[in-house]
Amino acid sequence: MRSFSILNFKVRRTLRENLSAFWMKCCYLLILAMPFILLIGLLLKSSLLFGEHSLMELIFSSEWKPLSGKFGFFPFIISSLWVTFISIAIAAPVCLLTAIYLTQYAKRFVLKIMQPVIDILAGIPSVIYGVWGIIIIVPFVSKVAGWFNVSSSGYSILTGAIVLAVMIIPFVLNILIEVYKTIPIELSEASLSLGATKWETIKKVLTRKAYPGIISSFGLGVSRAFGETIAVLMVVGNVVQIPSGIFQAGYPLPALIANNYGEMLSIPLYDSALMFAALILFVVVTFFNMGSRYIIMHYEKKI
Amino acid sequence: MINGSIINIEGLNLHIGNKHILKDINVKIPEKKLTVILGPSGCGKTTLLKSLNRLTDLYPEVKTQGKIFNGGIDILNPKIEITELRKKMGLLAQSPYPLPMSIYDNITYGLRISGRRKKRYLSKRVEYYLRQVSLWEEVKDRLKDPASALSIGQQQRLCLARGLSVDPDIILADEPTSALDPVSSREIEELFLKLKQRYTIVMVTHILRQARRVADYVIFMYLGEIVEHGTAEQIFENPQNQITKAYIKGTYS
């Protein structure tokens, strides 16, 4: 009787052990499958469009006339790229210099004060950034355009990029602070004891060491900026055209999807076209992620 | 026995926040000798070493009072140009921290920031200093490899060569063998015995046997104070203070 209960106990234990491992495996497989499920869904939904148009035509044509069945995504792709790269060009140096200042120059309590400020910035809903953009940045950009003798409503690529830059700064900055904080202080000591100044140490040693982290933070910034929808949509103008300057209105891909999905789906192929826009977004963001990962791996072998 | 001194520490007090780490340190470090700062862990040895080239600047919560003279200049005077003074003291840390660059660039880094650019000169210096630490034969075919690819023992010797590259008078070593295996440790010790002909070496250690093997002069510290200092002979053969005696005998707990 007694030996039986011990056996029973053992069996139950093993069973529980195996079961818990099984659930963990299920969860991780679910997450692993997620991007593939998304990709397949998008491919299936947009496949109708491929039947009628070639990929080249879809990407490089700038004729967007859904009513006559013409879907050229070039203006949207260009708008997205413009907005993304201007925003990262604004955010990157600001974040890098701030992170260096906070970790290398500032007293410790300054960093302690900054941390919650950064978290607050990161937590603000994007629609608030959009409203702020309309109230402050739109008139500002319109005025700045005036200085360059360009007439602009203020709803433009540059406005979108500025709002985006402010939105991605907390994310990029958080990573950069972490990156610089984890560099061992002994590395600074070694460089200083060789007669380097503080700035030389930061430029030639610390930033070199931080390089993979810097690339990955910028990669994250680009991915976020490329996909950000609401705030950009509110300030970028949403005109289908290839913008010829930063004061012109643009129409990025996420705005296209958000503005039109569920609206004019009676037009043939229209929902398929919007799915294709989503597919482009997906592929480009994945490409940026993989690219920055590749740079990081390649570089880490070298140092 | 001990002739001139190269560093004079006068009335050095150091606080971190409101903790009193170094208490009224007064000592002279003899020139071209190997001075060992000995004592149990956490007694302020490393802090004292880092005060010598004012690396304490890196820690904003550190406050120092007192004077440290090197060649008539007070290192702790905030108005002096510390960058040039630091170059006179090579630093070797507890575990090796090679700069994130190639073996070659690790040695030339100090030279390049002080304005040396000629390739032939730099190459010659690299070979010279790598030979000084007997690393040349091991790495001469892969100077362009990242320094992090070397073994820990090799990295530590590289760091020593890097420290020598700016032609210092003094080598500051903070438990330089604590991360190394016995063979690599012995190599570093032997290098030190060779180098002390030409350099003043200040080495922090808590390993008594190591101190016995290499020291000319010993500073024994306990709880932030210098308990006793003198020639190795005096300290090891005839210590005066009870704490020193206990530590030397190994009965210290």
Side-chain angles (χ1 to χ4, degrees):
Chain A
M1 190 66 198
R2 214 176 134 221
S3 71
F4 173 76
S5 79
I6 286 176
L7 187 72
N8 198 14
F9 175 69
K10 267 189 186 163
V11 167
R12 276 206 324 241
R13 257 183 109 194
T14 334
L15 196 69
R16 216 177 285 153
E17 181 74 12
N18 290 342
L19 255 178
S20 59
F22 172 75
W23 285 120
M24 284 180 222
K25 233 177 245 173
C26 284
C27 292
Y28 118 83
L29 281 174
L30 184 71
I31 292 172
L32 185 71
M34 210 63 102
F36 296 100
I37 296 171
L38 268 171
L39 183 65
I40 291 167
L42 290 176
L43 273 173
L44 285 177
K45 279 284 189 179
S46 54
S47 60
L48 276 174
L49 201 61
F50 294 131
E52 310 236 338
H53 306 274
S54 77
L55 191 63
M56 278 307 206
E57 187 195 333
L58 288 172
I59 292 176
F60 291 109
S61 154
S62 48
E63 245 186 311
W64 181 259
K65 284 174 187 147
L67 281 174
S68 39
K70 285 186 174 146
F71 298 99
F73 284 92
F74 199 57
F76 304 101
I77 296 171
I78 291 297
S79 293
S80 270
L81 291 175
W82 265 107
V83 172
T84 304
F85 284 108
I86 295 171
S87 74
I88 199 83
I90 298 169
V94 172
C95 289
L96 197 57
L97 292 175
T98 309
I100 290 173
Y101 176 77
L102 288 174
T103 54
Q104 308 298 321
Y105 289 92
K107 290 235 160 82
R108 217 165 265 175
F109 76 89
V110 180
L111 183 59
K112 270 194 189 140
I113 295 170
M114 276 304 280
Q115 212 91 58
V117 173
I118 296 167
D119 290 342
I120 290 169
L121 275 178
I124 294 175
S126 68
V127 69
I128 296 178
Y129 280 105
V131 173
W132 168 77
I134 291 173
I135 296 170
I136 310 282
I137 306 297
V138 168
F140 171 74
V141 167
S142 168
K143 205 179 228 174
V144 171
W147 300 342
F148 292 95
N149 285 323
V150 182
S151 87
S152 166
S153 64
Y155 289 91
S156 65
I157 295 283
L158 181 63
T159 317
I162 292 173
V163 171
L164 259 184
V166 177
M167 290 179 73
I168 62 174
I169 276 173
F171 296 95
V172 177
L173 186 57
N174 247 339
I175 300 181
L176 286 179
I177 288 175
E178 214 45 55
V179 165
Y180 274 94
K181 260 197 342 204
T182 47
I183 298 174
I185 199 159
E186 284 84 355
L187 218 49
S188 302
E189 291 183 346
S191 171
L192 290 175
S193 70
L194 290 167
T197 60
K198 196 160 183 172
W199 177 239
E200 283 166 338
T201 301
I202 289 166
K203 204 172 69 176
K204 294 184 176 156
V205 177
L206 302 188
T207 299
R208 243 182 123 99
K209 184 88 180 165
Y211 185 78
I214 295 173
I215 292 297
S216 77
S217 76
F218 290 175
L220 179 94
V222 168
S223 302
R224 282 198 78 93
F226 205 79
E228 173 51 42
T229 310
I230 295 299
V232 178
L233 175 154
M234 288 166 80
V235 298
V236 82
N238 302 332
V239 178
V240 185
Q241 60 177 2
I242 297 173
S244 56
I246 54 172
F247 294 116
Q248 297 235 326
Y251 206 160
L253 288 163
L256 169 73
I257 302 168
N259 268 342
N260 296 305
Y261 199 81
E263 291 282 320
M264 300 186 285
L265 294 186
S266 55
I267 302 171
L269 287 182
Y270 200 84
D271 73 323
S272 188
L274 292 180
M275 284 301 156
F276 182 67
L279 183 66
I280 297 174
L281 269 179
F282 184 91
V283 170
V284 170
V285 169
T286 311
F287 176 78
F288 277 127
N289 277 332
M290 306 257 261
S292 59
R293 187 143 299 192
Y294 174 77
I295 295 173
I296 293 163
M297 272 170 19
H298 190 73
Y299 185 83
E300 270 174 351
K301 266 186 239 149
K302 282 202 316 197
I303 56 168
Chain B
M1 169 93 207
I2 302 297
N3 300 323
S5 65
I6 188 160
I7 297 176
N8 291 1
I9 306 173
E10 291 175 10
L12 175 67
N13 277 285
L14 186 144
H15 293 79
I16 297 179
N18 46 21
K19 266 190 260 167
H20 202 172
I21 305 293
L22 295 177
K23 299 168 189 163
D24 194 28
I25 304 289
N26 289 287
V27 72
K28 290 180 175 156
I29 291 171
E31 195 172 2
K32 302 238 162 76
K33 298 280 178 209
L34 201 156
T35 299
V36 162
I37 305 178
L38 185 68
S41 300
C43 69
K45 306 183 297 277
T46 300
T47 313
L48 177 59
L49 191 81
K50 284 184 181 169
S51 309
L52 295 182
N53 66 350
R54 229 172 79 192
L55 283 178
T56 45
D57 283 2
L58 279 175
Y59 307 84
E61 60 281 4
V62 167
K63 300 259 179 310
T64 47
Q65 296 126 24
K67 292 186 165 69
I68 299 176
F69 287 106
N70 169 237
I73 302 167
D74 178 15
I75 292 163
L76 295 184
N77 181 351
K79 289 194 193 94
I80 61 146
E81 182 50 60
I82 190 68
T83 312
E84 281 304 306
L85 267 171
R86 281 202 184 117
K87 254 170 71 178
K88 292 164 78 180
M89 304 186 201
L91 179 77
L92 199 58
Q94 280 192 15
S95 43
Y97 286 94
L99 301 173
M101 42 188 90
S102 68
I103 297 170
Y104 183 92
D105 286 340
N106 258 276
I107 308 287
T108 58
Y109 176 79
L111 295 164
R112 279 181 288 127
I113 49 178
S114 43
R116 301 297 202 140
R117 296 255 175 254
K118 285 215 183 84
K119 256 206 163 144
R120 264 188 51 205
Y121 172 83
L122 292 177
S123 302
K124 270 190 184 159
R125 292 279 94 181
V126 168
E127 178 174 349
Y128 176 77
Y129 289 113
L130 287 177
R131 280 191 193 284
Q132 290 278 300
V133 298
S134 9
L135 196 60
W136 175 252
E137 292 300 328
E138 292 162 56
V139 302
K140 65 179 176 190
D141 299 322
R142 47 181 184 141
L143 292 172
K144 293 286 170 211
D145 282 9
S148 54
L150 296 173
S151 77
I152 300 290
Q154 289 173 325
Q155 284 185 22
Q156 192 65 319
R157 279 183 284 150
L158 178 71
C159 290
L160 180 57
R162 178 184 70 191
L164 297 179
S165 72
V166 288
D167 200 21
D169 303 326
I170 304 166
I171 298 169
L172 306 176
D174 181 11
E175 299 188 15
T177 62
S178 63
L180 305 184
D181 61 83
V183 177
S184 309
S185 302
R186 193 49 77 98
E187 279 169 349
I188 293 281
E189 281 179 25
E190 274 160 15
L191 279 170
F192 275 13
L193 291 175
K194 193 178 92 186
L195 290 170
K196 75 175 185 185
Q197 318 284 332
R198 283 180 294 134
Y199 300 93
T200 304
I201 302 176
V202 185
M203 180 168 109
V204 163
T205 188
H206 62 264
I207 309 165
L208 190 62
R209 274 178 297 165
Q210 185 173 53
R212 279 187 195 273
R213 283 196 293 266
V214 298
D216 295 315
Y217 196 82
V218 178
I219 298 170
F220 181 70
M221 288 184 72
Y222 186 70
L223 297 179
E225 282 176 279
I226 293 186
V227 174
E228 202 170 346
H229 61 93
T231 61
E233 227 175 12
Q234 279 168 16
I235 299 286
F236 291 131
E237 305 307 327
N238 190 19
Q240 302 299 312
N241 187 290
Q242 285 306 319
I243 306 169
T244 324
K245 271 183 198 162
Y247 195 83
I248 303 283
K249 275 196 198 139
T251 52
Y252 162 85
S253 55

